[in-house]
Amino acid sequence: EWCLAINNIDYVRETLEPFTRDLGMDDVIQKISDLKSPLDAQRCQHTLENVIANAIDTVRNKIIELLEKVVSKMEPSMKRLLIEGAELCNQDSNSVHRLMMYVDNNLATLHRELNEENFNRTLEIVWNMLSDTLGEIIQANLDKRRPPSFFDNLRKTLNLMLGSFKNPADCDNCDALKRTEQILRINGLETADLIHEVHLTMT
């Protein structure tokens, strides 16, 4: 239902400019030039072009707004499954499997129902949502003084989840997610390994 609405709105966006041409906007501009002056015609043309451009931007923003709503509906489940994966990664493989299935099923639906441009937009929103969600999980569990194994498991769970995407390499474009993964890697190091890491960066 959401995908259908998004596709319909996107269709409107794509047809706005051709629609104005079909209405004979060029002929109207020419008639204004003939009846009044070329300057009046030029002003009218600029006004119409701005109206069309603003309408296209408005529609595009509405599409992004709807995509954000779609992704926001996925966030609670993904957060819960990420935490479960971090806590049970080495004990209960079913939690990680459920996370991967959840992500795979949702993205498969979006990939099937949305056009390529909107699906790629959705991925960008998912990357940002994941980064924000992981940031919340990391901070909350740092406050709880969780052991390094929790963060290491969370990083493993994240990497497994990213493997569910149609093209996992796409996430390489998300700097925020890269930084989050690095934070998880550092917090997942045991004390001796962390000291060794610091030593390497200083030499």
Side-chain angles (χ1 to χ4, degrees), residues 10 32 39 58 68 75-76 79 99 146 148 171 178:
D10 202 35
I32 292 174
L39 182 59
T58 299
E68 287 173 344
E75 192 269 341
K79 183 175 183 178
L99 172 62
R146 298 296 289 268
C171 65
K178 285 181 184 177

Side-chain angles (χ1 to χ4, degrees), residues 64-178:
I64 293 173
E65 181 183 322
L66 288 174
L67 291 174
E68 287 173 344
K69 286 184 178 179
V70 170
V71 172
S72 71
K73 291 179 179 294
M74 298 168 58
E75 192 269 341
S77 294
M78 291 180 74
K79 183 175 183 178
R80 176 174 53 81
L81 291 169
L82 278 167
I83 293 173
E84 283 184 15
E87 292 176 338
L88 306 172
C89 185
N90 297 323
Q91 305 170 36
D92 179 15
S93 60
N94 186 50
S95 61
V96 176
H97 176 71
R98 284 190 293 117
L99 172 62
M100 293 177 67
M101 287 296 295
Y102 177 81
V103 173
D104 190 57
N105 289 339
N106 277 277
L107 288 180
T109 299
L110 293 172
H111 187 263
R112 183 176 64 250
E113 299 296 336
L114 295 174
N115 62 36
E116 184 177 358
E117 182 181 358
N118 285 326
F119 180 70
N120 288 334
R121 283 178 182 154
T122 304
L123 286 183
E124 291 178 11
I125 296 169
V126 169
W127 303 145
N128 290 327
M129 179 271 287
L130 264 179
S131 181
D132 291 342
T133 299
L134 285 165
E136 293 172 7
I137 295 173
I138 291 169
Q139 188 57 54
N141 287 280
L142 283 173
D143 293 342
K144 294 177 182 177
R145 299 184 180 277
R146 298 296 289 268
S149 58
F150 175 87
F151 300 100
D152 186 48
N153 287 341
L154 184 57
R155 184 174 67 88
K156 291 175 182 176
T157 303
L158 171 63
N159 288 330
L160 284 170
M161 186 193 68
L162 293 179
S164 297
F165 289 92
K166 294 296 178 185
N167 184 5
D170 287 343
C171 65
D172 292 341
N173 297 323
C174 182
D175 292 336
L177 203 55
K178 285 181 184 177

Side-chain angles (χ1 to χ4, degrees), residues 27-76:
D27 292 338
V28 172
I29 298 299
Q30 184 59 50
K31 286 179 181 178
I32 292 174
S33 178
D34 295 340
L35 293 172
K36 292 192 173 183
S37 70
L39 182 59
D40 287 327
Q42 188 179 42
R43 287 173 179 166
C44 182
Q45 183 175 9
H46 286 163
T47 299
L48 289 172
E49 287 173 350
N50 286 334
V51 168
I52 294 167
N54 289 336
I56 291 173
D57 283 342
T58 299
V59 173
R60 185 180 289 112
N61 290 335
K62 177 55 68 174
I63 290 171
I64 293 173
E65 181 183 322
L66 288 174
L67 291 174
E68 287 173 344
K69 286 184 178 179
V70 170
V71 172
S72 71
K73 291 179 179 294
M74 298 168 58
E75 192 269 341

